[in-house]
Amino acid sequence: MRNLENIQSSRIYGRRHGKPLKPASQERLDRLLPDLEIILPEAEEERFHPSVFFDNAGKSNFGSYALEIGFGKGEHLAWQARANPERGFIGCEPFINGVSGLVDKVAEAGLENIRVYMDDARLLMDRLEEGCLDQAYILFPDPWPKSRHHKRRVVNDGNIRELARILKDGARLHIATDHRGYCRWILSHMLASPDFVWLDRGPGDWHERGEGWPPTRYETKALEQGRRSTYLRFERRPRKA
Ligand SMILES: C[S@@+](CC[C@H](N)C(=O)[O-])C[C@H]1O[C@@H](n2cnc3c(N)ncnc32)[C@H](O)[C@@H]1O
């Protein structure tokens, strides 16, 4: 069931702007963003395969597609795109200074397999076709620790259902956090979902970032402040025939 009005009227992300950008970063953002930014067409009933967002790369068909929700300054997204040039990556991030950080990395590494949606990931997910993604990442989502803010948590039942809809059978969902309470919340909501299997078997799995990723900005801060992170891996169960 689609719930666009509810999404549009319930903002769940924090700030959009931080410090003013340095002139060089602003110039790079203005110059490069038009080729990277995803602008969703108005017709809200239409849904898209992610390949349409890469038409201007001269390579509209990557072998697979991945989504990162809340990529911050883009350390992980840029690393993944570089390590997997055959995969198209869509990153969602409403924080302009974060997008600028990613654009700098895209420019430095000459990456052609990243597209950016500069708004609430829920609006983009709503417009993606069923079963079109092979991977999704939610790394260090804002924990919103106060109970009255829990409704802003990006890992929630509605988004879990939406991720189950857009991920292929057998696709992976990675969620990391350094916040114990949010970790318990994520696990209880994910384990209640009929659509995902939790793959980790013990602390050796969930304390291991794995796959050679670099730590993200938030993860580095957490480490400096003595907080250990948890990395949760889930697999989309096969759909019933
Ligand atoms: C705590 S930061 C973590 C950033 C990055 N993943 C990292 O580990 O450094 C959470 C990020 O999620 C973004 N965010 C929050 N809600 C979002 C939403 N609904 N859609 C897309 N991004 C969102 C925020 O703007 C913020 O940059």
Side-chain angles (χ1 to χ4, degrees):
M1 199 193 312
R2 302 189 60 182
N3 198 11
L4 265 184
E5 250 175 50
N6 193 16
I7 298 174
Q8 280 152 355
S9 62
S10 65
R11 175 173 159 160
I12 60 168
Y13 56 81
R15 60 195 180 145
R16 256 200 187 274
H17 296 272
K19 284 190 205 143
L21 297 178
K22 293 195 179 121
S25 297
Q26 184 69 56
E27 184 279 321
R28 255 195 305 271
L29 190 66
D30 294 343
R31 182 162 44 85
L32 300 177
L33 195 59
D35 283 340
L36 299 176
E37 190 179 11
I38 294 174
I39 309 280
L40 291 173
E42 300 261 312
E44 285 176 356
E45 65 284 358
E46 262 189 88
R47 285 192 157 142
F48 304 95
H49 190 268
S51 57
V52 301
F53 304 129
F54 293 86
D55 277 350
N56 60 349
K59 183 180 177 189
S60 61
N61 244 333
F62 290 95
S64 57
Y65 292 89
L67 171 72
E68 182 165 347
I69 297 178
F71 58 73
K73 294 224 165 182
E75 299 81 15
H76 171 261
L77 188 57
W79 184 91
Q80 286 286 355
R82 199 173 188 165
N84 299 286
E86 75 301 336
R87 178 169 290 166
F89 288 85
I90 295 177
C92 298
E93 178 53 70
F95 182 47
I96 312 282
N97 301 58
V99 174
S100 161
L102 174 74
V103 167
D104 287 347
K105 294 175 186 69
V106 167
E108 251 166 53
L111 300 171
E112 295 193 338
N113 54 339
I114 290 187
R115 292 293 177 269
V116 183
Y117 183 62
M118 287 174 60
D119 207 333
D120 190 329
R122 295 176 300 169
L123 295 169
L124 177 94
M125 290 197 289
D126 182 73
R127 304 294 295 280
L128 290 177
E129 278 178 14
E130 165 120 20
C132 62
L133 296 175
D134 300 78
Q135 302 270 347
Y137 302 90
I138 310 178
L139 303 183
F140 303 91
D142 297 297
W144 297 112
K146 294 183 181 144
S147 315
R148 70 173 189 278
H149 290 149
H150 284 180
K151 56 182 182 289
R152 290 182 147 202
R153 287 182 164 173
V154 83
V155 179
N156 60 44
D157 292 339
N159 287 343
I160 293 171
R161 275 195 299 277
E162 210 38 4
L163 283 159
R165 185 183 67 75
I166 59 182
L167 286 166
K168 286 181 184 165
D169 291 359
R172 293 285 167 93
L173 169 61
H174 301 259
I175 308 179
T177 183
D178 62 316
H179 188 277
R180 283 179 152 208
Y182 200 8
C183 186
R184 281 194 293 273
W185 162 289
I186 292 166
L187 265 180
S188 71
H189 284 74
M190 287 299 299
L191 293 176
S193 163
D195 299 318
F196 288 97
V197 187
W198 184 26
L199 297 176
D200 303 300
R201 292 280 158 261
D205 293 336
W206 63 70
H207 283 143
E208 194 51 51
R209 187 181 319 112
E211 299 175 34
W213 305 349
T216 67
R217 221 176 143 76
Y218 268 77
E219 180 175 358
T220 306
K221 268 195 213 166
L223 274 172
E224 285 165 4
Q225 291 165 11
R227 284 192 308 281
R228 201 168 183 191
S229 298
T230 306
Y231 310 88
L232 303 169
R233 297 163 186 83
F234 302 92
E235 187 173 288
R236 173 59 167 108
R237 284 184 203 275
R239 287 162 173 77
K240 293 198 178 98

